[in-house]
Amino acid sequence: MNTRDYIALEDQYNAHNYKPLDVVLERGEGIWVWDVDGNRYLDFLSAYSALNQGHKHPRILQALLDQAARLPLTSRAFRNDQLPLLARELCELTGYEMMLPMNTGAEAVETALKAARKWGYTVKGVPDNQAEIITCAGNFQGRTISIISFSTEPQYRAGFGPFTPGFVTVPYGDADALEAAITPNTVAFSVEPIQGEGGVIVPPAGYLRRVRDLCDRHRVLLIADEIQTGLGRTGRLFASDWEDVKPDIITIGKALSGGFYPVSAVLASREVLGVFRPGDHGSTFGGNPLAAAVARAALQVLTDEHLIENACIQGEYLMGRLRRIESDHVQEVRGRGLLIGVELKASAGGARRFCEALQQEGLLCKETHDNVIRFAPPLVIRREDIDWAIERIEKVLMMP
Ligand SMILES: *Cc1c(COP(=O)(O)O)cnc(C)c1O
């Protein structure tokens, strides 16, 4: 079987809910992946930041193998000997009092929304079924019906109504608009510190600080969705750390498993996560010992290998190199740490053709929206790898 055979099979039997690049990968290691024809590529997407620790990290792999050989799943009907250790390690690392484990990012977001609503009714005293949650235009927080109910992207919603009520939209990066939208029934404001899928949109400096103050003043929970920006991606543990802001609730996922397994979690205070009583919420696989063992190893790698510091150093270097490329196609280079967006001018003919050209050059990345190329390599990347990548990126951005 070659590339074309695999693509034909996938197109025949798999729903077409993605438009992947036509590269069929079979092996990965660190920052590199290989396709079925033996070509090697530098992974400059990292599975949307799930691979911060790089492909197939040996320590995480070992943890997975060991735990799979011992006990992969108990369900939460019984306890296991990994979840308590993950919970302590995660809380000690992040400074939160409690965590709630789930699997996918969308489930963590749903969990955060449920926690905020229940907190609103049982702690803040909002009348039954009146809770409002404020969200941002341009958000991406997952694909469930409730989450797309507050999406502002027409394609994410079209054909999927009716939608879940209780959400209010304000422009991203506009603290005045947030203040104006808060009512006595507002229980939470949900925000991505940088909008990743939205096009690597970095809000104005001071935005999160003002948001924090407003939430404090109006007794509104600040929910930061750090599923993409968290765990080192932006050069801090959390992107919120750049403004010294501590959200009331943080959702994490993606890199929490180093790419081996879907693991997500909600972090918050005892006051917030304490609203859940036995039976309120759950997940068959959430908090399973395999997930917990993998996540423990993934977090250890992040700290032991100083990946957060490396993201900061290499991110600054990559950003500097990208900004020096003199291409007529580039409108703006923006981002933080190793989450970088290159926005192209309308005249460039869309980001897709540049991603396809980069694939030909041995570098894999993906457009987000029509005109932004997102660069998010694994955090284990070194300066010489960036030099290698820049040579190719420069060549492609100089295409007519
Ligand atoms: C990827 C992502 C999600 C959804 O995670 P899934 O694991 O795909 O459900 C939610 N929020 C943000 C910010 C993301 O980047």
Side-chain angles (χ1 to χ4, degrees):
M1 299 248 299
N2 62 20
T3 294
R4 217 192 286 179
D5 303 326
Y6 287 109
I7 291 171
L9 269 188
E10 182 169 325
D11 281 352
Q12 184 178 352
Y13 292 108
N14 198 74
H16 295 186
N17 57 325
Y18 275 90
K19 191 184 172 211
L21 289 180
D22 283 338
V23 57
V24 181
L25 302 174
E26 66 168 11
R27 190 159 65 86
E29 192 162 336
I31 60 172
W32 300 101
V33 287
W34 286 263
D35 72 12
V36 292
D37 301 325
N39 300 307
R40 187 183 79 154
Y41 303 89
L42 179 46
D43 183 350
F44 241 56
L45 178 66
S46 310
Y48 306 98
S49 295
L51 291 160
N52 284 3
Q53 299 87 342
H55 287 267
K56 212 183 69 186
H57 193 288
R59 278 181 67 189
I60 311 174
L61 174 62
Q62 198 56 51
L64 176 110
L65 292 173
D66 291 346
Q67 189 60 42
R70 252 194 324 264
L71 179 66
L73 178 65
T74 53
S75 86
R76 299 286 305 278
F78 312 125
R79 298 178 190 264
N80 69 68
D81 67 356
Q82 291 298 311
L83 179 57
L85 302 179
L86 170 63
R88 181 182 63 192
E89 287 158 15
L90 192 53
C91 288
E92 282 178 359
L93 176 70
T94 59
Y96 283 87
E97 289 175 334
M98 292 184 119
M99 64 91 94
L100 193 157
M102 296 296 280
N103 312 284
T104 65
E107 288 174 308
V109 171
E110 289 273 352
T111 303
L113 300 174
K114 285 170 88 171
R117 280 183 170 184
K118 193 159 184 204
W119 174 89
Y121 300 127
T122 58
V123 179
K124 185 171 177 175
V126 170
D128 258 3
N129 289 319
Q130 300 297 307
E132 291 167 9
I133 293 175
I134 302 175
T135 62
C136 291
N139 72 76
F140 179 86
Q141 300 206 256
R143 298 292 201 161
T144 66
I145 286 181
S146 285
I147 295 172
I148 62 164
S149 296
F150 55 84
S151 174
T152 57
E153 181 64 37
Q155 197 200 346
Y156 297 170
R157 296 162 53 92
F160 300 131
F163 298 108
T164 305
F167 299 105
V168 175
T169 304
V170 296
Y172 185 59
D174 184 345
D176 293 334
L178 170 62
E179 181 160 36
I182 293 173
T183 75
N185 292 339
T186 304
V187 297
F189 173 56
S190 175
V191 66
E192 298 155 81
I194 294 174
Q195 288 186 333
E197 300 307 304
V200 191
I201 311 290
V202 183
Y207 173 61
L208 278 188
R209 277 240 61 86
R210 276 206 64 203
V211 163
R212 179 68 274 178
D213 289 345
L214 288 172
C215 287
D216 285 340
R217 250 190 289 140
H218 296 278
R219 212 172 172 214
V220 166
L221 297 177
L222 173 55
I223 307 175
D225 182 344
E226 297 253 15
I227 290 166
Q228 186 160 159
T229 53
L231 303 179
R233 174 52 56 186
T234 70
R236 292 281 187 276
L237 179 61
F238 294 119
S240 314
D241 294 341
W242 281 103
E243 294 205 350
D244 288 320
V245 160
K246 185 169 183 191
D248 300 293
I249 303 179
I250 284 190
T251 52
I252 53 176
K254 295 199 166 114
L256 183 53
S257 70
F260 279 90
Y261 195 86
V263 189
S264 67
V266 177
L267 297 162
S269 63
R270 193 169 308 280
E271 176 183 305
V272 171
L273 280 180
V275 301
F276 287 119
R277 298 278 166 238
D280 280 359
H281 185 56
S283 160
T284 303
F285 279 84
N288 74 68
L290 187 59
V294 164
R296 291 180 66 205
L299 292 174
Q300 261 156 25
V301 166
L302 214 59
T303 13
D304 289 357
E305 298 189 7
H306 309 289
L307 297 186
I308 303 171
E309 296 84 342
N310 194 54
C312 198
I313 295 164
Q314 307 303 341
E316 222 165 272
Y317 180 63
L318 175 56
M319 182 92 78
R321 292 293 309 267
L322 287 169
R323 286 195 166 140
R324 265 183 278 134
I325 296 178
E326 289 177 14
S327 160
D328 291 340
H329 298 310
V330 176
Q331 175 74 38
E332 187 185 26
V333 179
R334 57 178 180 248
R336 197 155 254 168
L338 283 171
L339 180 59
I340 298 178
V342 176
E343 184 177 337
L344 303 176
K345 294 180 184 162
S347 56
R352 177 81 182 193
R353 71 182 185 101
F354 293 92
C355 295
E356 286 169 352
L358 282 167
Q359 176 192 341
Q360 296 307 315
E361 296 292 329
L363 189 139
L364 294 181
C365 61
K366 192 74 168 53
E367 75 275 11
T368 175
H369 287 257
D370 288 336
N371 60 340
V372 180
I373 312 174
R374 170 176 25 195
F375 292 134
L379 311 188
V380 295
I381 198 162
R382 301 161 312 167
R383 188 184 170 112
E384 54 260 45
D385 308 318
I386 292 180
D387 290 334
W388 187 95
I390 280 289
E391 240 177 81
R392 276 121 193 119
I393 293 167
E394 183 157 27
K395 179 175 168 196
V396 164
L397 285 175
M398 289 302 178
M399 297 191 309

